[in-house]
């Protein structure tokens, strides 16, 4: 079946079937909810108005972490929960959620002294029940420099060294969607929820939707609706007339990416900057990325600008602690800006506001969930479905069984542990070599696609045209169209493959082949090919070109 037919069939099902639950929002929160609900036996549909993870869930720091800095705000419960969740999410998808040791340099005039850091990291490990080799160690100055020679020597006093995990947020979202789909859910992207229709008793009976691809409007009938629209949660609450004094607060966070050769970090570092905040610098494949800012945002959530000032803040903070590298704005190859959908708290600044999640229940039955972290998505899903179960009982419906997701490996697995991932990477490397295909891409392919990597390599082998990198990219794109609803080339270049962020120079050598795959699968006209190419070139330009804040405001 062609992807156009698959999409048409899915829309026909959305129009004609009755669902137990409609999830609005295909970020990590909605994806986690869809999986949990499907595993508890509900018939689930999920709609996403743009591409999966195109909101905040492709714009994070991409860490599965306990949030060390929340200890400063005494958010013990939050740190305990997300700290423990790290190990669970790693177990469910070790190819995608990988161990990453973090170095916290102690510097003169820094926010934390040696004793406080040692205590804080001990508490952090204790709350998250970290054992064995993963427990934090405190390092001398020489040991710290040994781990990361680029650090500024004259103010360095030592370091803390502790365990975290790194992921790709968009892939984590995609694999939750895929796992839910394989278990029976019906997810579809580029479908927007517009507003709701109600029963005489004032409860939601159905949702009016719009296909963003064709403009067609239709209705989805479901017993329940969960609003997991991230920064847009209040928009839907407004449509439901249930927006009250509890509202969202948007905080913008920017990351920049530079070539690894310009910032050859040995390892991930979490470091102090002059205004008392802390930044991450994280090596990843051929790049190093740096983030993040944390400032109030009141602009358009569908198009969040990265300003020169945001970039300069990150560059200044980095250059101050890594003095030899002298990064400038010309070194920035790519960037992303996202908004944290936080719950507003009177009198607090963006970085002081809690990252806790919260559920809002309206009289119409609409359940909305906001706040929270990528790391805690599984527990958030569990909580809102437990709440739905109570709501069902109050309305004489059957209660739901307990959450099962802690034992459901994500699509792309299963892998017994991280060692099994590393041996699989060796197998993929051998397959690439045997097929004379892009050596050195095995870690990228396995981190992104897990065990599906072998199918992509097999497809690439069958392609005869183009360079080896182009054959592999074309096979990858075809896989994402067939299995992951990539509707536009940018869905693939950005959220399926991460190339737009972490390997921008790899795009132009494969662009024509990738466009050809989309053109063939979706039947593009010549003009559509030209238009798509232009859209991609605009995005590439935006990746490394910045306006000043004043220019955007005026
Ligand atoms: P989103 O990802 O925004 O998803 C909501 C989706 O709903 C969107 O895709 C949107 O298009 C869709 N939608 C909206 N309205 C409609 C509608 N009417 N119809 C259909 N669809 C609709 N957390 C961590 O654990 N680790 C980190 O390292 C980390 N770093 C971060 C760094 C930054 C800069 C930011 C901004 C956040 C970070 N977070 C981190 C937090 C984490 O990214 C978010 O908590 C999480 O991604 C929110 O996911 P979500 O699904 O709730 O929202």
């Amino acid at each position: 079946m062609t992807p156009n037919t698959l999409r048409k069939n899915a829309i026909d099902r959305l129009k004609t079937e009755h669902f137990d639950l409609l999830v609005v929002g295909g970020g990590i929160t909605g994806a986690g909810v869809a999986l949990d609900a499907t595993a508890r036996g509900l018939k689930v549909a999920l709609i996403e108005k743009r591409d999966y993870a195109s909101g905040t869930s492709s714009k994070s720091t991409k860490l599965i972490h306990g949030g060390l800095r929340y200890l400063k705000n005494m958010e013990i419960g939050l740190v305990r929960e997300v700290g423990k969740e790290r190990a669970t999410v790693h177990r469910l998808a070790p190819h995608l959620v990988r161990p990453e040791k973090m170095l916290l340099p102690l510097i003169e005039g820094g926010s934390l002294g040696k004793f406080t850091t040692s205590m804080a990291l001990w508490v952090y490990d204790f709350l998250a029940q970290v054992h064995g080799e993963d427990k934090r160690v405190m390092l001398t100055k020489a040991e710290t420099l040994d781990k990361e020679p680029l650090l500024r020597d004259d103010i360095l006093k030592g370091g803390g060294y502790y365990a975290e995990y790194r992921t790709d947020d968009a892939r984590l979202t995609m694999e939750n969607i895929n796992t839910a789909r394989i278990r029976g859910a019906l997810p579809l992207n580029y479908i927007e929820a517009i507003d709701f229709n109600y029963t005489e008793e004032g409860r939601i009976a159905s949702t009016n939707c719009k296909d963003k691809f064709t403009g067609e409007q239709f209705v989805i009938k479901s017993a329940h609706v969960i609003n997991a629209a991230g920064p847009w949660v209040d928009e839907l609450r407004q449509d439901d007339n249930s927006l009250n004094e509890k509202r969202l607060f948007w905080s913008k966070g920017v990351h920049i990416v530079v070539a690894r050769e310009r910032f050859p970090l040995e390892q991930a570092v979490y470091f102090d900057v002059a205004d008392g905040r802390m930044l991450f610098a994280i090596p990843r494949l051929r790049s190093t990325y740096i983030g993040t800012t944390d400032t109030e945002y009141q602009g358009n959530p569908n198009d969040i600008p990265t300003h020169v000032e945001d970039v300069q803040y990150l560059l200044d903070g980095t250059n101050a602690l890594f003095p030899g590298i002298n990064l400038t704005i010309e070194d920035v190859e790519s960037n992303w800006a996202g908004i944290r959908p936080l719950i507003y708290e009177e009198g607090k600044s963006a970085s002081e506001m809690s990252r806790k999640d919260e559920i809002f229940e309206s009289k119409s039955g609409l359940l909305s969930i906001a706040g929270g972290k990528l790391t805690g998505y599984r527990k958030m899903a569990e909580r809102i479905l437990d709440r739905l179960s109570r709501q069902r009982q109050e309305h004489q419906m059957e209660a739901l069984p307990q959450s099962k997701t802690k034992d459901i490996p994500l699509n792309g697995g299963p892998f017994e542990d991280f060692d099994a991932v590393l041996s699989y990477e060796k197998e993929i490397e051998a397959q690439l070599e045997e097929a004379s295909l892009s050596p050195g891409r095995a870690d990228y392919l396995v981190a992104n696609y897990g065990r599906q990597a072998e199918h992509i390599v097999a497809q690439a082998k069958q392609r005869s045209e183009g360079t080896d990198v182009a054959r592999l990219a074309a096979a990858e794109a075809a896989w994402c169209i067939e299995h992951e609803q990539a509707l536009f080339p940018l869905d693939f270049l950005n959220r399926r493959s991460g190339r737009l962020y972490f390997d921008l120079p790899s795009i132009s050598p494969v662009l024509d082949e990738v466009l050809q795959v989309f053109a063939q699968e979706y039947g593009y006209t010549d003009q559509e090919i030209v238009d798509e190419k232009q859209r991609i070139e605009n995005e590439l330009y935006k990746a490394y070109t910045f306006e000043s804040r004043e220019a955007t405001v005026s």
Side-chain angles (χ1 to χ4, degrees):
M1 238 185 283
T2 67
N4 281 333
T5 318
L6 281 172
R7 184 170 173 87
K8 187 182 167 305
N9 290 352
I11 291 177
D12 285 346
R13 284 190 58 199
L14 287 176
K15 284 179 188 167
T16 52
E17 295 184 16
H18 190 282
F19 296 88
D20 295 322
L21 173 65
L22 175 68
V23 182
V24 180
I28 190 63
T29 309
V33 169
L35 176 57
D36 192 317
T38 307
R40 292 191 202 212
L42 294 184
K43 178 170 172 178
V44 178
L46 176 147
I47 54 172
E48 160 55 52
K49 71 172 177 171
R50 300 183 298 186
D51 188 24
Y52 300 122
S54 58
T56 309
S57 298
S58 55
K59 317 278 174 48
S60 78
T61 309
K62 302 170 196 300
L63 289 173
I64 293 296
H65 67 153
L68 180 60
R69 78 179 184 82
Y70 311 133
L71 272 185
K72 247 191 192 174
N73 305 350
M74 294 305 286
E75 296 198 63
I76 304 291
L78 177 70
V79 176
R80 181 187 291 118
E81 178 175 296
V82 283
K84 280 202 243 162
E85 258 317 272
R86 294 180 306 181
T88 308
V89 190
H90 168 65
R91 178 170 52 76
L92 299 176
H95 62 289
L96 185 54
V97 177
R98 298 178 165 227
E100 177 86 45
K101 283 280 168 115
M102 194 65 70
L103 179 64
L104 196 159
L106 299 171
I107 54 169
E108 274 165 32
S111 57
L112 294 171
K114 195 163 191 164
F115 178 72
T116 351
T117 306
S118 173
M119 280 306 292
L121 289 176
W122 182 86
V123 173
Y124 193 58
D125 281 354
F126 173 77
L127 291 173
Q129 297 176 357
V130 173
H131 302 292
E133 277 185 4
D134 276 346
K135 280 189 175 171
R136 70 97 173 86
V137 282
M138 297 306 293
L139 306 175
T140 62
K141 176 175 174 172
E143 287 166 336
T144 308
L145 279 172
D146 199 38
K147 295 250 176 266
E148 187 40 73
L150 291 175
L151 283 166
R152 184 168 160 186
D153 183 319
D154 59 336
I155 53 167
L156 189 67
K157 297 195 296 187
Y161 193 58
Y162 63 104
E164 293 284 20
Y165 296 88
R166 127 181 105 76
T167 189
D168 185 299
D169 43 8
R171 290 293 326 163
L172 188 63
T173 304
M174 198 63 242
E175 295 302 16
N176 269 277
I177 300 264
N178 286 333
T179 314
R181 181 179 47 75
I182 289 164
R183 294 178 148 255
L186 177 56
L188 204 59
N189 50 359
Y190 295 97
I191 303 286
E192 180 170 14
I194 308 290
D195 54 18
F196 305 104
N197 304 306
Y198 297 88
T199 62
E200 279 177 6
E201 294 76 43
R203 298 195 57 86
I204 294 180
S206 60
T207 305
N208 297 318
C209 302
K210 183 174 178 179
D211 180 348
K212 304 278 276 190
F213 203 49
T214 61
E216 186 195 7
Q217 298 215 9
F218 59 92
V219 173
I220 301 178
K221 292 185 273 314
S222 63
H224 312 287
V225 179
I226 289 183
N227 168 12
W232 297 266
V233 153
D234 282 354
E235 239 178 50
L236 281 176
R237 293 173 71 214
Q238 179 95 54
D239 291 336
D240 179 52
N241 283 322
S242 56
L243 191 58
N244 54 21
E245 67 287 348
K246 277 266 182 188
R247 280 157 200 256
L248 292 194
F249 175 93
W250 291 341
S251 150
K252 181 174 106 167
V254 169
H255 289 81
I256 54 172
V257 183
V258 298
R260 186 89 170 265
E261 61 200 27
R262 276 297 290 119
F263 188 9
L265 260 195
E266 296 276 333
Q267 80 128 72
V269 185
Y270 185 39
F271 58 99
D272 285 293
V273 286
D275 63 359
R277 293 191 57 252
M278 295 188 79
L279 299 181
F280 289 102
I282 303 174
R284 187 177 186 119
L285 301 171
R286 62 164 296 284
S287 305
T288 299
Y289 67 103
I290 304 160
T292 169
T293 61
D294 197 348
T295 50
E296 180 173 0
Y297 182 72
Q298 296 183 342
N300 177 1
N302 299 307
D303 186 13
I304 309 154
T306 294
H307 290 123
V308 172
E309 294 81 354
D310 300 317
V311 177
Q312 204 54 54
Y313 171 86
L314 297 173
L315 293 173
D316 290 347
T318 309
N319 286 333
L321 196 68
F322 301 89
I325 53 168
N326 297 317
L327 291 175
T328 69
I329 205 156
E330 277 73 42
D331 290 311
V332 178
E333 286 188 350
S334 190
N335 81 89
W336 62 91
I339 39 185
R340 304 171 182 88
L342 306 178
I343 314 290
Y344 178 71
E345 292 171 282
E346 187 70 39
K348 289 198 174 170
S349 72
S351 49
E352 286 165 346
M353 237 164 265
S354 172
R355 267 57 178 165
K356 271 203 312 269
D357 57 280
E358 204 159 319
I359 294 172
F360 310 113
E361 183 167 358
S362 94
K363 286 196 191 108
S364 68
L366 180 70
L367 286 174
S368 303
I369 183 156
K373 308 253 327 144
L374 182 77
T375 310
Y377 78 90
R378 207 190 56 82
K379 292 302 277 183
M380 286 168 72
E382 184 178 324
R383 264 196 290 281
I384 198 161
L385 282 153
D386 287 349
R387 181 74 164 258
L388 179 65
S389 184
R390 288 203 295 281
Q391 194 188 85
R392 281 167 67 90
Q393 285 172 288
E394 282 158 21
H395 289 83
Q396 284 70 51
M397 295 169 86
E398 218 181 309
L400 300 176
Q402 301 273 301
S403 173
K404 298 184 169 61
T405 53
K406 75 174 181 359
D407 298 316
I408 301 178
L410 293 184
N411 185 53
F415 288 98
E416 204 174 319
D417 52 25
F418 192 56
D419 284 343
V421 174
L422 296 178
S423 11
Y424 183 70
E425 267 180 25
K426 288 207 180 96
E427 282 174 40
I428 293 297
E429 191 60 53
Q431 289 176 21
L432 286 169
E433 263 174 45
E434 191 201 307
S436 311
L437 280 164
S438 314
R441 299 292 284 176
D443 55 349
Y444 156 80
L445 283 173
V446 175
N448 268 16
Y449 304 102
R451 293 191 184 277
Q452 301 161 117
E454 65 200 61
H455 302 297
I456 295 172
V457 176
Q459 280 198 16
K461 263 184 177 171
Q462 288 165 15
R463 292 179 180 264
S464 51
E465 281 175 29
T467 59
D468 60 342
V469 279
R471 282 190 292 141
L472 193 57
E476 218 186 310
W479 177 268
C480 295
I481 293 172
E482 195 181 339
H483 299 273
E484 302 192 338
Q485 297 174 3
L487 213 57
F488 297 100
L490 274 169
D491 298 343
F492 167 66
L493 295 172
N494 185 344
R495 289 161 294 273
R496 302 299 180 287
S497 72
R499 277 183 158 84
L500 189 68
Y501 292 163
F502 296 112
D503 203 359
L504 198 108
S506 79
I507 294 180
S508 63
V510 303
L511 187 53
D512 287 337
E513 283 81 357
V514 168
L515 270 168
Q516 267 316 314
V517 173
F518 276 84
Q520 258 165 26
E521 296 283 349
Y522 288 106
Y524 288 175
T525 60
D526 288 348
Q527 186 55 46
E528 282 169 335
I529 298 181
V530 173
D531 293 347
E532 280 308 316
K533 194 163 187 175
Q534 191 56 53
R535 276 182 67 187
I536 295 164
E537 272 159 14
N538 293 348
E539 281 306 304
L540 295 182
Y541 183 71
K542 268 170 67 181
Y544 52 82
T545 323
F546 311 99
E547 277 192 347
S548 79
R549 201 166 288 144
E550 284 76 39
T552 313
V553 172
S554 60

